[in-house]
Amino acid sequence: MVDDDFYEDDEPIEKIQQIRRRSPDFVTGPQNGRGATVFLAPSPSGEWVEHSQPATWVEAGVCR
Amino acid sequence: MPLTRPQIGFKLILCDAAQTDSATGKIHMLGAGWTITGSPTAPHAVALMIQVPWDRTNQKLPVRVELVTDDGQPVSMPGPTGPQPLISQIELEVGRPAGIAPGSTLSAVFAVNVAPMSLSPGRYEWRASVDGHTQGESFQVTAASAAQL
């Protein structure tokens, strides 16, 4: 326990805010994971499945 | 004005290609905003940007993206075991990053890249459902090939 973590009620508000706003000693939890990309395409057997990587698509055209 | 509980919001955009950045929660899109294509369709993508309220974080939220006709019927692709609907679904769970102010809305993104499909001319819709809330983005398939448009 660090004495700086505790404060009295008559402490100046700036000192209390300084304690509350200090940077954390460490951060837990995964940093990635806010997005997912899937590729929906027919497999060699003809069944449409989700792939994690893009396939080579022929007959590419354009959408407008 | 009475206070209302924040709802899950999301936007659906049709584009030529989309790739999510899971570290930043961004989505990179190319050729966004198309509405007309030919058949077979060009490779395209459905970009989904989801806003999750603070009180819905750390909860599993079902996300479903499917292709339907203008009558709302699922579009089926021929498959080896018979016709199959074109659906992509995931389970989303948004965590609370360190340093975020309580009550903040957090974002998550999802991209579905679709291979060329043979569709009859007409109007179709990519419909997304997030935790029971549904939105769609329509597009038109013309008789011309996608390369001729």
Side-chain angles (χ1 to χ4, degrees), chain B residues 45-111:
Chain B
V46 182
L48 196 57
M49 291 159 281
I50 306 168
Q51 301 293 319
V52 180
W54 182 260
D55 62 338
R56 300 303 306 275
T57 54
N58 298 328
Q59 295 179 18
K60 295 195 188 310
L61 304 173
V63 178
R64 177 188 175 98
V65 178
E66 62 179 327
L67 182 63
V68 299
T69 64
D70 54 358
D71 289 330
Q73 299 301 312
V75 174
S76 294
M77 289 287 119
T81 56
Q84 56 172 133
L86 218 56
I87 297 173
S88 180
Q89 46 193 6
I90 60 168
E91 206 168 52
L92 168 71
E93 182 173 345
V94 175
R96 296 176 176 180
I100 296 295
S104 301
T105 297
L106 296 165
S107 62
V109 289
F110 181 41

Side-chain angles (χ1 to χ4, degrees), chain A residues 24 27-28 31-42 45-50 57-64, chain B residues 20 22-24 34-37 40 42-43 77-78 80 84 86 88-89 107-111 113-115 117 146 149:
Chain A
V27 176
T28 62
Q31 298 301 306
N32 295 339
R34 293 175 57 192
T37 303
V38 299
F39 298 88
L40 206 55
S45 65
E47 184 182 4
W48 280 71
V49 294
E50 290 180 359
W57 295 325
V58 298
E59 298 181 15
V62 64
C63 298
R64 300 197 174 185
Chain B
T20 61
S22 59
T24 61
W34 64 266
T35 58
I36 302 173
T37 185
M77 289 287 119
Q84 56 172 133
L86 218 56
S88 180
Q89 46 193 6
S107 62
V109 289
F110 181 41
N113 289 271
V114 186
M117 302 177 288
L149 290 176

